[in-house]
Amino acid sequence: MSSTARLSIIGIALLAACTAQKKYSNDGAVLPFKPLPMAGVTRPRLQDSTMKWPKKVDRLPEDAPNILLVMLDDVGFGISDVFGGEVETPAFSKLAEEGIRYNCFHTTSICSPTRAALLTGRNHTRAASGTIAERAVAFDGYTGIIPKSAATIAEILKQYGYDTSAFGKWHNTPAIETSSIGRKDRWPTGYGFQYFYGFLGGETSQYQPRLTENYDHIEPPEHDPTYHLSQDLADRALHWLDDHQAFSPDTPFFMYWAPGGVHGPQQVFKEWADKYKGKFDDGWDAYRERVHKRQLEMGVIPAGTKLTQRDPTLAGWDEVPESQRAFQRRLMEIFAGFVQHTDHQVGRIVEGLEERGLRENTLIIYIFGDNGSSAEGQQGSISELLAQNGIPSTIDEQIEALDRIGGLPALGTEACDSMYHAGWAWAGNTPFKGTKLLGAYFGGTRNPMVISWPKGIKPDETVRNQFHHVVDIAPTLYDILDIPHPEVVNGQDQLPMDGISLEYTFSDGDAASRKKVQFFDNNASRAIYQDGWMACTFGPFIPWEASKTAGIRTWDSARDRWELYELGSDFSQSLDLAGVEPERLGNMKKAFLKLAADNQDFPIGAGLWLRIHPKDRVETPYSSWSFTQDIRRMPEFTAPGIGRESTTVVVEAEFGEKASGVLYVVGGSSGGLTVYMDEGHLVYEYNMLLLERFIGKSPKPIGAGKHRIEIDTDIQGTGEAGVASVLLDGNVIFKVELKRTVPLAFTATETFDVGIDLGSIVSPDYYERRPFEFKGKIHSVDIKLKE
C-alpha cells in the first residue's frame, strides 16, 4: 500500500470502503481521519429528515492482534538463564519456548533515548532524545522533547482503533514539566496513551515510588511492608485488562509495560535476594567464564565467539579486599533477586492473558533491557546518584555509611539506594565489552529479545541473528497491521522512519539480515553498523569512573581512536581490524558523520555537557517562590535549588508545645535536605547522598506561638562547601557546616514538600514517624535565590 496515499475518514466511527482483496480500509497517510458524514437525510423540517449513523469501517485486519510490549531496565545480555546467565527468568523462558529468540537486537545504551527510539521508530537524536531527560541541553538532538512530528506507536494505533495503556517508567517528559501545574501534552497521555500508571522520571523507590496516574500525582499505600512497585504495576495492568474486557472486548489493545526493575535503586524483598545467597561468591571474573561457556553450549552465541577481556580501568575480583567482599556479593544477590522478581511480574501478566482467553492472539515482545547492565554503581554504592553527580567516594566510606543505617541487612531496603559494583555489570554483559552508557560496544547496546504470538508465529529454536534495533519495532507493528507510515499526524508533518520491519524473521530464522546501516551515539561513545561491519570509538567518558571529568574537558572528538570489527566472524567485537582495513574504516567514519548530521547528533559529545557544566542543567526561570502548607509533590527539578545553591528561606509558622513535624523538605532517603521540628527543637539536616549527614539542632525547644524561622545558606560554588545559618525571630541559634554539596540533584523523582515528607524520607531520625506531618500552622515558606 502506498505511503503517499491519503487517509480520509474516521472519528469515533470508521469509514467503510472495502477492496476485493481485504475487508478493511486504511488507505491513507493523514491522521486523524476525517469524520464521516451522517448517512441519513437532513432537511429543514424534522419530519422530512431521516436519522442514520454512518456504517462503521474497519481500519484494521479482522484478526488484528493485541500487543504487549515489555521492556526491562538496565539488564544485560548475560543475566537471564535463557541466554546463558545465572538468574532465573521463568516468564522470559516460557515466552522463548512459545516463540522465537533474538541475539542481535540493539538499544541505544541509555534510558530515555532507547524509549524514544522504541516508541517512535526514529533514531534517538532525530527524536531529540540524545540523553536522559534530566541531562537535556539546548542542542536540537538533546532537548529531551520528543517532537510531535515523530508520532508514537500508541498515537498511531489509537487512531486506528486500539485501546492503549502504559505502565511503569516513562522518562520521556522534560524534567521541568512534571509538576501538577503546567502543560501535560508531553506526558504519556499526550503521546497516545489513553491510560498511564507509573512514574515520569528515570528512577524511583520501589517501596515509596513517586507515582502518577494519567494527569495526577498519587501516593502508594503507607506503612505497607508487602508493597513493591513492580508488583503494583502488574496488578494495575491486570486491572486495566479487566476494564478493557468489560468495556470494549471487541477492540484490540496495545500495552507498554516498562517497570523500573532493575534500574537503581536496586531494591527487592530479602526472600528474593536470598534465593542467590552464595551463588556469586567467586566474583565477576568467574561469572563471565561460566556464562560464556554456557552460552556456547546453548548456542545463543555463535561457535567460536571469543570472551572479551576486562578493561584495564575496571577492577578484577582478585583486587577486591576480603573485608569488602561480603558487601560486593550481597549487592549482586540483591540485583539477581530483583531481576527474577521483576520477571515474575511479567509472568503474572502473561498468566492473566491466558486466564482471560487473550493469549492466543496477543503478540508479546519482551525486550530484556533498555541498555546493557549499568556500571553507575561505580565500585558498589549505597547511593547510586553519586555517579550522576560525579561525586567520588571509597568503598570504605560506603561501608561505614551503611553501618550507620543497619549494615548489610539494609541493602535492598528503602533505607538506601543500593547498586552493585561495575564489575557485576560487566559480567552481566557477557561475552561483550562495555556496559550501559557505551554506544561503541555491545555490552551497552545488545540486549536479548523474545517474541511470542501463538496465532501468528510458529515457535522454533533457531536463534535469530539478524541485526536489528529498537527503531525497528514500530515499523514491524505497522507492517503486521498493514498500516502505512503517515505523512501527517494531528497536523504535524512526520519525520521519516529510521527503522525497518523485522516481520520477515518471524517465519524464517535463517533469513539474511535486511538492515544495512544503524547509527549509535551516547556520551560520544559512538558507532556505525554497515553491512556486517562495525566501526566504533569508546569516547572520553568511562561509565565506571563517572567522577573523573578531566579527560572530557581536554577531549577532542576529531582525535578519537576508532576500532573496526567484522561481525560475521566476530560476534563479540574481540578482534580490532582497524590496522588491517584502514580504507574501510575511513569510509565508515565519513558515513558516521553523514548519519550524525542527518540525525541532528551534533555536536558530538552534547550528552557530556552537564558533566563539565553542571550549572547549565534544565531548571525553572524563577528566582523566588512563596509556598503555603498544602504545597506537595513539587519535583526536585522544578523546585528551588535549596541544598544546591545559595538561598534564603523564611518560614512563618505557629507552633504548639513540643511541636514536631517537617516544615519543608526536598529529596529522599538517598539524599536531600529537611528542616523539621522534633519535640520542640528545630532541626536542620543535609543528607549528603548517605555518605555524610550535616545536622544542626536548636539548643533548647522553641516555645509555643508564632515564630519566624530563617535559613540563610551560602554555598561557595557548584558542588562545593557551604554554611547554613539558622535564625529564630531574627537571632542566629545555630549554624551547620556543609563540607560538600550536590552539584546536580539529590534524586531523580523525589520532591519538594511543605509540612510533610512524602516518598522515601530524608532523615532516618523520623523514619518510624513518616511521613511526619507538621501539626501546627505554616503561614508561608518564602524562598529566594541569592545573586
Side-chain angles (χ1 to χ4, degrees):
M1 182 178 298
S2 172
S3 65
T4 61
R6 292 272 172 183
L7 294 175
S8 54
I9 314 174
I10 189 185
I12 297 173
L14 305 171
L15 176 79
C18 300
T19 66
Q21 291 77 28
K22 58 190 179 185
K23 298 179 180 179
Y24 60 97
S25 175
N26 56 359
D27 54 349
V30 177
L31 296 173
F33 304 115
K34 293 179 181 178
L36 282 171
M38 296 302 101
V41 176
T42 303
R43 296 284 186 260
R45 297 197 319 155
L46 181 63
Q47 55 266 53
D48 297 331
S49 303
T50 59
M51 195 287 294
K52 184 178 181 181
W53 292 105
K55 183 179 179 182
K56 178 182 176 180
V57 172
D58 293 324
R59 295 274 180 193
L60 293 166
E62 184 176 351
D63 59 348
N66 302 309
I67 301 165
L68 171 60
L69 177 57
V70 175
M71 185 166 67
L72 302 193
D73 199 343
D74 281 9
V75 58
F77 191 90
I79 292 294
S80 168
D81 55 354
V82 178
F83 280 76
E86 298 186 353
V87 178
E88 296 179 20
T89 53
F92 199 44
S93 180
K94 170 184 170 66
L95 293 173
E97 292 170 1
E98 297 174 355
I100 52 180
R101 294 169 295 169
Y102 291 78
N103 69 356
C104 288
F105 185 77
H106 300 84
T107 58
T108 70
S109 83
I110 189 171
C111 303
S112 303
T114 288
R115 293 159 201 276
L118 172 69
L119 292 174
T120 68
R122 279 82 170 183
N123 285 327
H124 57 305
T125 48
R126 193 187 302 282
S129 301
T131 187
I132 60 174
E134 296 84 357
R135 289 190 171 276
V137 286
F139 298 111
D140 289 338
Y142 291 81
T143 63
I145 301 171
I146 299 176
K148 299 297 183 173
S149 54
T152 67
I153 297 169
E155 180 62 42
I156 290 176
L157 294 192
K158 179 184 72 174
Q159 302 220 28
Y160 272 86
Y162 270 76
D163 289 331
T164 61
S165 62
F167 299 86
K169 174 174 172 175
W170 177 243
H171 210 193
N172 285 122
T173 295
I176 58 173
E177 294 183 12
T178 58
S179 68
S180 60
I181 299 297
R183 61 188 304 160
K184 302 289 195 301
D185 60 322
R186 292 167 182 162
W187 289 27
T189 45
Y191 284 107
F193 290 102
Q194 296 161 320
Y195 180 81
F196 171 72
Y197 183 87
F199 58 101
L200 294 175
E203 64 182 55
T204 195
S205 167
Q206 294 295 312
Y207 304 116
Q208 291 291 329
R210 303 298 74 216
L211 291 170
T212 299
E213 184 175 25
N214 297 322
Y215 295 119
D216 300 316
H217 296 318
I218 62 174
E219 292 298 314
E222 282 188 22
H223 305 285
D224 181 356
T226 68
Y227 180 88
H228 192 282
L229 176 57
S230 300
Q231 293 173 189
D232 187 16
L233 295 173
D235 291 342
R236 293 288 182 145
L238 292 171
H239 179 74
W240 185 86
L241 284 176
D242 286 337
D243 280 351
H244 173 270
Q245 290 304 101
F247 302 144
S248 57
D250 58 342
T251 302
F253 66 79
F254 169 62
M255 179 186 291
Y256 173 48
W257 199 83
V262 292
H263 193 290
Q266 290 164 353
Q267 296 171 324
V268 75
F269 299 125
K270 179 178 182 295
E271 58 266 28
W272 288 87
D274 285 350
K275 291 175 182 285
Y276 294 91
K277 192 81 172 170
K279 293 191 176 182
F280 310 116
D281 283 1
D282 51 359
W284 46 77
D285 295 287
Y287 179 96
R288 273 180 71 91
E289 295 285 347
R290 293 193 305 271
V291 170
H292 176 244
K293 180 180 178 182
R294 191 179 301 113
Q295 289 172 332
L296 289 169
E297 292 169 349
M298 292 174 63
V300 294
I301 62 175
T305 297
K306 298 290 191 298
L307 180 62
T308 55
Q309 298 302 302
R310 176 167 30 83
D311 191 279
T313 63
L314 185 61
W317 182 253
D318 59 359
E319 299 174 60
V320 177
E322 187 61 41
S323 61
Q324 298 176 3
R325 290 191 174 187
F327 173 70
Q328 303 293 5
R329 289 167 177 147
R330 187 57 178 170
L331 288 172
M332 180 56 183
E333 291 166 4
I334 290 165
F335 171 82
F338 193 10
V339 173
Q340 185 174 349
H341 179 264
T342 306
D343 177 81
H344 177 71
Q345 311 313 317
V346 179
R348 290 179 57 216
I349 298 173
V350 174
E351 289 174 7
L353 291 170
E354 294 170 345
E355 292 167 356
R356 291 160 177 79
L358 298 171
R359 178 69 184 94
E360 178 71 16
N361 196 32
T362 297
L363 167 64
I364 301 178
I365 301 173
Y366 190 167
I367 304 171
F368 208 73
D370 58 345
N371 40 247
S373 291
S374 173
E376 289 162 305
Q378 307 295 279
Q379 310 312 307
S381 181
I382 62 171
S383 185
E384 54 102 12
L385 257 287
L386 287 165
Q388 289 290 353
N389 280 284
I391 296 173
S393 64
T394 68
I395 294 304
D396 287 339
E397 286 178 315
Q398 298 269 350
I399 294 175
E400 182 181 347
L402 179 63
D403 287 341
R404 292 195 295 267
I405 58 174
L408 289 181
L411 294 174
T413 73
E414 60 187 305
C416 62
D417 282 9
S418 54
M419 193 166 183
Y420 62 3
H421 191 290
W424 292 121
W426 168 68
N429 296 322
T430 302
F432 306 121
K433 296 184 284 190
T435 64
K436 172 186 178 180
L437 303 185
L438 288 178
Y441 298 143
F442 293 148
T445 63
R446 184 167 283 181
N447 288 84
M449 181 174 69
V450 163
I451 298 180
S452 177
W453 179 16
K455 190 171 183 178
I457 298 176
K458 182 180 180 181
D460 73 62
E461 296 183 354
T462 302
V463 179
R464 271 61 177 169
N465 61 9
Q466 297 86 359
F467 195 101
H468 279 286
H469 187 274
V470 288
V471 294
D472 300 326
I473 296 300
T476 301
L477 297 179
Y478 303 152
D479 190 15
I480 291 168
L481 298 171
D482 197 19
I483 293 175
H485 173 52
E487 293 178 357
V488 179
V489 176
N490 297 328
Q492 296 288 320
D493 291 342
Q494 293 295 290
L495 294 167
M497 297 287 282
D498 292 305
I500 69 165
S501 173
L502 54 78
E503 191 269 345
Y504 71 95
T505 66
F506 289 0
S507 59
D508 185 358
D510 296 317
S513 180
R514 296 181 183 177
K515 194 172 187 71
K516 300 302 181 184
V517 65
Q518 181 59 50
F519 147 84
F520 299 87
D521 186 8
N522 177 21
N523 288 304
S525 179
R526 53 206 192 275
I528 178 174
Y529 166 82
Q530 196 174 55
D531 293 324
W533 290 79
M534 183 79 116
C536 57
T537 182
F538 188 102
F541 178 65
I542 301 174
W544 46 90
E545 293 186 348
S547 64
K548 297 182 179 179
T549 61
I552 301 173
R553 294 175 185 277
T554 59
W555 162 77
D556 180 351
S557 62
R559 301 175 65 181
D560 278 337
R561 180 190 175 278
W562 284 67
E563 303 163 28
L564 181 66
Y565 300 97
E566 195 281 298
L567 301 180
S569 60
D570 186 7
F571 184 80
S572 61
Q573 296 176 294
S574 64
L575 180 61
D576 180 9
L577 299 177
V580 179
E581 295 242 22
E583 184 177 356
R584 181 188 297 273
L585 177 59
N587 290 335
M588 291 183 71
K589 287 167 65 177
K590 292 176 183 177
F592 172 86
L593 287 175
K594 184 177 179 180
L595 275 174
D598 181 57
N599 282 276
Q600 56 186 24
D601 187 42
F602 294 157
I604 300 297
L608 298 168
W609 186 270
L610 293 184
R611 295 191 183 274
I612 50 179
H613 304 288
K615 289 193 70 174
D616 289 343
R617 58 162 247 176
V618 289
E619 58 186 4
T620 64
Y622 308 114
S623 58
S624 63
W625 298 258
S626 185
F627 301 112
T628 55
Q629 190 161 353
D630 58 352
I631 297 301
R632 301 177 179 187
R633 292 291 297 269
M634 186 178 193
E636 184 178 342
F637 274 78
T638 70
I642 54 173
R644 260 189 319 108
E645 301 175 87
S646 296
T647 57
T648 298
V649 182
V650 177
V651 180
E652 298 278 2
E654 294 181 40
F655 302 83
E657 292 289 343
K658 295 185 177 180
S660 291
V662 170
L663 297 178
Y664 67 89
V665 64
V666 68
S669 61
S670 62
L673 187 156
T674 179
V675 176
Y676 63 96
M677 300 298 299
D678 195 358
E679 293 294 311
H681 289 272
L682 177 62
V683 183
Y684 172 103
E685 178 174 341
Y686 192 112
N687 178 345
M688 180 58 200
L689 302 182
L690 286 179
L691 291 185
E692 298 168 285
R693 296 170 65 198
F694 310 130
I695 303 174
K697 184 176 182 179
S698 62
K700 58 183 181 180
I702 294 174
K706 187 175 181 179
H707 294 282
R708 174 188 173 96
I709 294 170
E710 183 176 341
I711 295 92
D712 188 77
T713 305
D714 287 303
I715 296 175
Q716 297 172 11
T718 303
E720 297 183 15
V723 175
S725 301
V726 180
L727 296 81
L728 175 65
D729 297 327
N731 300 308
V732 175
I733 55 173
F734 63 88
K735 293 185 178 184
V736 181
E737 181 184 355
L738 311 177
K739 296 180 181 178
R740 52 180 167 173
T741 57
V742 294
L744 187 65
F746 288 114
T747 67
T749 55
E750 294 285 349
T751 57
F752 172 84
D753 304 302
V754 176
I756 196 169
D757 189 348
L758 296 175
S760 64
I761 50 91
V762 170
S763 175
D765 290 347
Y766 54 76
Y767 174 79
E768 297 298 333
R769 295 173 283 176
R770 66 193 188 282
F772 206 32
E773 186 171 4
F774 181 66
K775 299 304 182 183
K777 174 64 177 177
I778 300 174
H779 293 286
S780 62
V781 176
D782 296 323
I783 303 176
K784 187 174 183 179
L785 301 181
K786 295 185 178 181
E787 295 295 333

